[in-house]
Amino acid sequence: MNPGTQGKTNFFEEVEIQGHIIDSLLLPKVLDEILTQGGSYLIKEIRLGQRQEDISYARIEVHADSAEILERVLDSIHDHGAIPTTANDCQAVEADMDGAFPEGFYSTTNYRTQVRLNQEWIDVEDQEMDCGILIDPQGTSARCLPMTDVRKGDRIVVGRQGLRVFPAETQARSNLFEFMASPVSSEKPKGVTVREIAQAMRRTRESGEKILAVLGPAVVHTGGVEHISQLIRMGYLNVLFAGNALATHDIELALYGTSLGISADHGLPTEEGHEHHLRAINTIRRLGSIRTAVERGVLKSGIMYECIKHRIPLVLAGSIRDDGPLPEVITDVLVAQRAMREQVRGVGFALMIATALHAIATGNLLPAWVKVACVDINPATVTKLTDRGSIQTVGVVTDAEPFLRALVAELSK
Amino acid sequence: MNPGTQGKTNFFEEVEIQGHIIDSLLLPKVLDEILTQGGSYLIKEIRLGQRQEDISYARIEVHADSAEILERVLDSIHDHGAIPTTANDCQAVEADMDGAFPEGFYSTTNYRTQVRLNQEWIDVEDQEMDCGILIDPQGTSARCLPMTDVRKGDRIVVGRQGLRVFPAETQARSNLFEFMASPVSSEKPKGVTVREIAQAMRRTRESGEKILAVLGPAVVHTGGVEHISQLIRMGYLNVLFAGNALATHDIELALYGTSLGISADHGLPTEEGHEHHLRAINTIRRLGSIRTAVERGVLKSGIMYECIKHRIPLVLAGSIRDDGPLPEVITDVLVAQRAMREQVRGVGFALMIATALHAIATGNLLPAWVKVACVDINPATVTKLTDRGSIQTVGVVTDAEPFLRALVAELSK
Amino acid sequence: MNPGTQGKTNFFEEVEIQGHIIDSLLLPKVLDEILTQGGSYLIKEIRLGQRQEDISYARIEVHADSAEILERVLDSIHDHGAIPTTANDCQAVEADMDGAFPEGFYSTTNYRTQVRLNQEWIDVEDQEMDCGILIDPQGTSARCLPMTDVRKGDRIVVGRQGLRVFPAETQARSNLFEFMASPVSSEKPKGVTVREIAQAMRRTRESGEKILAVLGPAVVHTGGVEHISQLIRMGYLNVLFAGNALATHDIELALYGTSLGISADHGLPTEEGHEHHLRAINTIRRLGSIRTAVERGVLKSGIMYECIKHRIPLVLAGSIRDDGPLPEVITDVLVAQRAMREQVRGVGFALMIATALHAIATGNLLPAWVKVACVDINPATVTKLTDRGSIQTVGVVTDAEPFLRALVAELSK
Amino acid sequence: MNPGTQGKTNFFEEVEIQGHIIDSLLLPKVLDEILTQGGSYLIKEIRLGQRQEDISYARIEVHADSAEILERVLDSIHDHGAIPTTANDCQAVEADMDGAFPEGFYSTTNYRTQVRLNQEWIDVEDQEMDCGILIDPQGTSARCLPMTDVRKGDRIVVGRQGLRVFPAETQARSNLFEFMASPVSSEKPKGVTVREIAQAMRRTRESGEKILAVLGPAVVHTGGVEHISQLIRMGYLNVLFAGNALATHDIELALYGTSLGISADHGLPTEEGHEHHLRAINTIRRLGSIRTAVERGVLKSGIMYECIKHRIPLVLAGSIRDDGPLPEVITDVLVAQRAMREQVRGVGFALMIATALHAIATGNLLPAWVKVACVDINPATVTKLTDRGSIQTVGVVTDAEPFLRALVAELSK
């Protein structure tokens, strides 16, 4: 009991936090959380780096009126990287059933996380938010595990002891993706935005990481098929996530020259137009698969065609509004999630255009350090996508086709 | 060959159309389609009802420059109810494989449709858009069949011969649902809108039809759980379609008092709030089902609780952005569609609030004559939902909770 | 009294309507209005053109339960072109005061209108909605007059007698601007839309009519200044309407390289950026005018520069959110309206980009037959602008800069 | 020259900053700005308050590669409260002309600002953003002055010397208005939001400050007139800003029972409806003023009626899209700004509903410490309004009428 706190708070714990805690806003956020959650604090020690490249350090005594509040405060600041000074190994218990975590399981974020095993800090693999952490039987490695994949007997981390999280830090910023407040306004210079995204794609390719595209059907409706095809041919698109609609309208366009019945050529509805997408699906189903349609020369252009020609891994995930669906569509959403999870490994940049459902689903699977550009004409969609707490996500409120046109032009330079 | 057309068009066919063809805009739409699709017309006979309750009739000669264009024009006006004067029985061929229609299959609309079998016009059952039509082995009845449900040997209607469609007609309108141009503006008197929807719900209940609610998670986030619970208790909600998110946040609210981590009580984020939804799902999965959670007294309030207590049929359809999911969630989207298809039978009114995915999926399954009210704060969502060509769909751009509060107050009068 | 109506309605009047009354939806609209307003009808005679180029004609007896309702119905259908068969000269009374119409004044639409003077039908000049009609002292001509411009003694038309309105008719449509339902969806092929607008601009220039641009500040923020400058230099922009913000940020960009403090070059906020617009205004005010700034070589590029260099008439209308404002800004809104009214004469095409206030204000002044393209990234703005009842207005939901880039490219072909 | 910086930066200046610099994010923002603008820093001294109520202090050496960059950095961090340790009196020069500031004028923010005069720090009065600062002839007081009000000879502050700004600080937050990140999401519990706004209004009234309402016409269209009338009668609305549209449709509703021609009673368009607003304006213009209409018993209900009955100061500001306008409308926007500026004095709370133009104009005039609630169904409008950098502004994405209904209910408790 610290007499300086005048008997107000009998419950306290000392935590420490280090890194670029001032200019990355970690320290302010921690102090803010303590107050918001009903605690108070004493800064016991602070060592600020004199220059921006120096690491800073703070030791803080967190006080609360009850053990319960103290627990709440500590849990809350833990996600911002504040951990008790008295570190122990993390705790794990065995799952008592399939498909569910044991009570008290630790729920993951998308930030880099370490667990303490045998007094050593070890990186958690397959970082993904809203999972549990599985400790391997030898007790030497750890990885994120979705709830549905839990098997009885799995050793799952509980509580926050022996765990530490490394929230994103910001450095001196010189481009869009290093910028803290992701701009989602439609009132920004668009040429610059396109240039920055092109640059990030170039760097990703050079570094040997994969570029993932997540596309909605408006890419086809607005006339963006040829642009995406070019990105594939230029090697700037290495994995594709989409749904039945994108694939269907892409194939409809290749087979009938329409998209949702609207002629790509003159922009007017065509006769029977509303049926074209259904006939396109039926044609492919009769052939057995999109792949067969390409091999037999039925499908000769478009995004699906290019993906198959260039062996781009493709995950078409099903949804309840699908007609058909196309044979390649994975109709079980858990199976689709697993396929997506498989493919996000090694992704260094994700370009999400004109889709809320697939983009949010993908965002849930990506660790915070993967750069993401979310492009949508609806600011509400962009806001939802950029709310995932990553400083690496940039939202662009703009129209799909003109954006893609400019992006291809920029990458062709 | 009609000499009056001066040799311009060698290809023509006579069609007829009847009903309230003037004030329901059927005739103008037909004439417009003919021109748009590249044909021309001669009105051979027209008998207009003198009064608005009279049925009118028109006989029109449709001309085109080629057989192909003529076919296109005829197909196009067929959906507006114009059928050749020389009617034959509809044609059906056997499906040559599972899961796909034969070439040339007729693709359905959501309007009332009849097929001519043995020279008699017979109603198509289970009317649903984007399906084929299955003729029973006896050749005496017909029903809509989704592509995925086709079995080899099924007799499927091809072409448009012997088929007629009855597009919606409008009468002298005295309330919102009879109004032609569905108002989606946010700048309409809201009290009136609520009153009309309440009235439609009362009438539906009185007529013995079911009221379907399709709800998104914002119903929970904005504070609408108690209002929906009241609708259930008052008997104004007979079937519920939703996804994992609505159910999860409803249960999160019941168990933790938060929704997506935001306290329903004071509107501020709570500690660990972002984990509550995951813990809620885990709790239910540990118990085995939502039903068990209610039976064991773990879940004591909320929409899910009321549904189970009042035996409201519930379809929770999965999506790729689901965490968990809850045990009752149907993870295969085709299975979920079938469950929804089952439950839309007998629905007379559908109230869709704050969901795009589930609302559009449901809209695809409903025949055009079911009244639908789409409520969303985002005009883009409302527009998408009201674009399904039914005069019975009314879009309301407003906020979920205040709308529900006013609706419950109106229904309680 | 018509015995056929069985004494129900003692009040009736015969009206006639002619033109393309079926495919232009005029007749259906008239019948619909009669019912909606509480009347009923008997179609006495109908002569439909056999071919689409033929003029049709209908004579209708309108019935109502009271003189008041009958009056209401007749007033209501008058705007759709239905006029009593017994035509008399229009009636005018002298204004009894400045700045207000006499009671019972006729309120104009933006459709072509004729008044009957000395038993002859004469076109109303300066057609504009929400005005009165002024008859010249000789009683031989008529023109629209805004309320504020009324002078005591002016002869103002009252009632609807001797007045006829020609609502827009549609023909066989082959391009966007002839299309009835203006597409406002963001999910349309954008290349086609741009091509159609470019074509309309070319035709307008060839016909010797003026192209008006109405621009909001997002044109500058998104990076569109150079595109607009090119349109001016290419002769595709003949009149400009804007506000203080567009002009200020255009000048800010020319003087400081920023727009609202955001660098056009690297897209990041610059130091003091928020002050640049104020310093830009101050600089121009110190010089006395934008014109002087150009003449003295202070302002060397941008939209304002090009307007002055190419003698493009420019109306900068003030609003209460203006800083400064710039010297050329007309701070009295009635004076600004008059300046705009002056300049819309001879305009054949209006391109409105990224502005609600100025676009709506301009829309109010334009007759219905002027083609308008409204470009905005916010669908709500586009909907408001396209709701003015003109089939010549096309709404495009897209981003300002990419749209302009594509438009300039298309026009440069 | 500090040897520790290894000759990299020859240009530096020492600044200091104090307050709740950690948890108010002032220090991180300052460090961030220094880096963003191209400078670097050395933290010379830091004294952190141990508890959250303690004032902290930092002394920082700012380095740059050139005098120009250093100047830029210093200007940039000045707005965040960092001022040179060597403080001098502020500098002022005489305006050399009417209506424009001298070169180098200091451009104000909406934060509390002090100037140093005769070595004493003095508060700047009438704090308003985007103004200059006028020093009185005696050199003992200072106030904000709009550009247009400058008179030749006025003493205007130039540069940043002897000036300090107090950016908003945050404390332990317990309600909406103390919350840092203003929630603009439509997915928040609405009951809580209404309760907090009601509480802020009660506190404002109790403290003797004025409540300002800024209203757009959708308040009338959605059916909110009676709710606003009640707020006035209950004493919760002390000043009203609006435009011609709000006043016109309010009067249209009182005189004709319609709003923009839509019946408030049954929600359907009425005959001649589009003319009602014009006839309403004409009626008032014929009477000379809204006041006269009330006095003569012509106008018997509505917002305008209640304002006049309860002597609520009313500013109706003109815009170029106005019809008429009503006699009370101030058509010169600079005169209107002055009238608004006059009335914002003493305002402690501003409720802005369903208006972008008037809300932004009012936001420009308010100091940062006035609490503001912005209510609009369009998130884009709310975002624009909450972007003014005040932690006291809360955005609520919801529908006008239901919000007002709930607010009145809450205030009536």
Side-chain angles (χ1 to χ4, degrees), chain D residues 206-225:
Chain D
E206 282 159 18
S207 75
E209 288 177 309
K210 293 189 291 182
I211 299 173
L212 163 67
V214 186
L215 306 178
V219 168
V220 181
H221 300 328
T222 58
V225 163

Side-chain angles (χ1 to χ4, degrees), chain A residues 315-378:
Chain A
V315 180
L316 296 179
S319 96
I320 49 167
R321 67 186 181 199
D322 291 349
D323 286 314
L326 290 165
E328 268 90 345
V329 169
I330 304 172
T331 61
D332 189 295
V333 294
L334 294 181
V335 178
Q337 280 181 350
R338 268 180 219 122
M340 293 163 75
R341 203 168 265 133
E342 194 75 21
Q343 293 296 341
V344 297
R345 289 196 187 123
V347 165
F349 184 86
L351 182 60
M352 302 174 170
I353 305 180
T355 167
L357 176 60
H358 295 267
I360 292 171
T362 306
N364 288 347
L365 302 178
L366 290 173
W369 57 84
V370 171
K371 284 183 183 62
V372 176
C374 296
V375 178
D376 204 290
I377 201 163
N378 188 338

Side-chain angles (χ1 to χ4, degrees), chain D residues 163-390:
Chain D
L163 264 161
R164 64 184 187 194
V165 174
F166 298 81
E169 296 187 347
T170 56
Q171 284 88 38
R173 56 221 47 175
S174 58
N175 75 45
L176 205 60
F177 287 97
E178 289 166 356
F179 216 75
M180 187 169 312
S182 296
V184 297
S185 165
S186 58
E187 301 196 345
K188 288 284 161 62
K190 289 301 150 62
V192 178
T193 309
V194 167
R195 215 156 59 223
E196 296 281 354
I197 291 174
Q199 213 161 350
M201 289 171 75
R202 272 200 210 96
R203 279 199 217 110
T204 304
R205 198 169 69 161
E206 282 159 18
S207 75
E209 288 177 309
K210 293 189 291 182
I211 299 173
L212 163 67
V214 186
L215 306 178
V219 168
V220 181
H221 300 328
T222 58
V225 163
E226 180 49 27
H227 306 317
I228 296 290
S229 300
Q230 271 187 271
L231 287 183
I232 295 173
R233 290 193 297 260
M234 290 162 78
Y236 280 113
L237 198 160
N238 313 116
V239 188
L240 179 63
F241 290 177
N244 189 57
L246 179 280
T248 295
H249 295 300
D250 173 67
I251 294 170
E252 177 193 346
L253 187 71
L255 298 187
Y256 297 97
T258 62
S259 173
L260 238 176
I262 304 293
S263 161
D265 210 43
H266 52 76
L268 300 184
T270 60
E271 155 273 342
E272 289 184 69
H274 65 282
E275 302 176 16
H276 284 171
H277 78 281
L278 208 62
R279 298 201 184 282
I281 297 169
N282 200 55
T283 298
I284 303 297
R285 285 177 72 101
R286 292 182 63 81
L287 288 165
S289 69
I290 302 172
R291 171 170 302 280
T292 312
V294 172
E295 287 167 359
R296 299 233 183 126
V298 175
L299 187 61
K300 295 179 213 159
S301 67
I303 299 173
M304 291 301 108
Y305 170 83
E306 299 288 347
C307 280
I308 282 165
K309 277 291 170 192
H310 292 83
R311 301 166 186 277
I312 305 297
L314 173 68
V315 180
L316 296 179
S319 97
I320 50 167
R321 68 185 183 200
D322 292 348
D323 285 314
L326 290 165
E328 268 90 345
V329 169
I330 304 174
T331 62
D332 190 296
V333 295
L334 294 180
V335 178
Q337 279 181 349
R338 268 180 220 123
M340 293 163 75
R341 203 168 265 133
E342 192 77 20
Q343 293 296 341
V344 297
R345 290 197 186 122
V347 165
F349 184 86
L351 181 61
M352 302 175 171
I353 306 180
T355 166
L357 176 62
H358 294 267
I360 292 171
T362 305
N364 288 347
L365 302 178
L366 290 173
W369 57 84
V370 171
K371 285 185 183 58
V372 176
C374 297
V375 178
D376 204 291
I377 201 162
N378 189 339
T381 304
V382 173
T383 302
K384 263 190 196 163
L385 296 175
T386 53
D387 267 0
R388 50 190 286 268
S390 162

Side-chain angles (χ1 to χ4, degrees), chain A residues 174-175 179 186-192 195-196 218 221-223 262-269 377 397-399 401-402, chain C residues 174 179 186-192 195-196 218 221-223 262-269 377 397-399 401-402:
Chain A
S174 57
N175 74 44
F179 215 74
S186 59
E187 301 197 345
K188 287 284 161 62
K190 289 301 149 64
V192 178
R195 216 154 60 221
E196 298 281 355
H221 301 328
T222 57
I262 304 293
S263 161
D265 208 44
H266 51 76
L268 299 185
I377 201 163
V397 177
T398 193
D399 203 0
E401 191 274 340
Chain C
S174 57
F179 217 73
S186 58
E187 301 197 345
K188 287 285 162 62
K190 289 300 150 63
V192 179
R195 215 155 61 223
E196 296 282 354
H221 300 329
T222 57
I262 304 293
S263 163
D265 209 43
H266 51 76
L268 299 183
I377 201 162
V397 176
T398 193
D399 202 1
E401 191 274 341

